[in-house]
Amino acid sequence: MSEVVTLELRDAETTRALGAALAEELHAGDLVILTGDLGAGKTTLTQGIGASLNVRGQVASPTFIVAREHPALPRADGTHGPGLVHVDAYRLGGLSELDALDLDSSLEDSVTVVEWGRGLAEALADDRLEIDLERPRGAPSFDPGVAAEEDPEAGTRKATIRAVGQRWAGVDLAALLD
């Protein structure tokens, strides 16, 4: 089973809002695979997920660390949601290096987000969300460290979300930004 939804993201705040809306649907054990050019909004989307899950620590790109674990903080009612494991697979050489991170041990207890995971992280779970983030050529990056020319469509991005597996049956992904 596979559902595909495409949403427009006007700016970084809309991208974070999508992440927050996704977090409302995510449970411990869920896998999210993010794909997109540098500055397309992968980490920005993950920041929205982390904020909504109420996890500890600043969600930042794990490029040089490869994986960051963000434990869940207590909610106002005293309960805890799942933690967040944020992985950057860009520098990984293959499935064996991904396996060496031992994500299987935290996969059941956390939401796992893998940036640059296409073609690599699908083996981690039969049920997953695959999200492609696209930014127009010339549009400024959400990442302040990535330079780009001025563009009248400055922040307009597209997020194409593909829900894979039975876990996502009946989840209305099209309503995420309503």
Side-chain angles (χ1 to χ4, degrees):
M1 164 178 210
S2 181
E3 176 188 355
V4 178
V5 172
T6 299
L7 303 169
E8 281 197 12
L9 307 172
R10 294 181 311 279
D11 52 27
E13 287 310 310
T14 307
T15 303
R16 282 187 196 93
L18 174 59
L22 279 170
E24 295 297 317
E25 300 294 337
L26 293 169
H27 306 295
D30 284 340
L31 172 65
V32 179
I33 300 173
L34 302 178
T35 303
D37 293 334
L38 286 173
K42 296 178 297 295
T43 298
T44 303
L45 181 78
T46 308
Q47 289 169 343
I49 292 171
S52 186
L53 290 177
N54 194 35
V55 297
R56 183 176 41 206
Q58 177 185 356
V59 175
S61 177
T63 299
F64 296 103
I65 295 172
V66 181
R68 292 181 194 261
E69 290 189 44
H70 297 275
L73 294 171
R75 296 176 178 145
D77 65 3
T79 64
H80 286 78
L84 173 67
V85 176
H86 185 197
V87 179
D88 187 325
Y90 185 77
R91 298 183 189 287
L92 298 180
L95 187 56
S96 63
E97 288 186 28
L98 185 63
D99 281 343
L101 295 175
D102 199 24
L103 294 177
D104 295 342
S105 63
S106 59
L107 205 60
E108 291 181 19
D109 301 322
S110 302
V111 169
T112 301
V113 176
V114 182
E115 296 187 22
W116 304 98
R118 177 184 286 145
L120 194 62
E122 294 88 350
L124 293 174
D126 292 334
D127 298 310
R128 61 189 175 275
L129 291 178
E130 298 172 354
I131 303 175
D132 291 332
L133 294 161
E134 298 175 50
R135 69 179 173 112
R137 294 287 175 221
S141 167
F142 287 160
D143 180 346
V146 177
E149 307 82 39
E150 290 300 316
D151 188 297
E153 291 187 289
T156 304
R157 271 100 168 122
K158 285 193 320 185
T160 302
I161 305 170
R162 181 172 178 250
V164 178
Q166 194 59 37
R167 154 72 177 91
W168 297 102
V171 176
D172 185 6
L173 296 174
L176 288 172
L177 285 178
D178 286 344

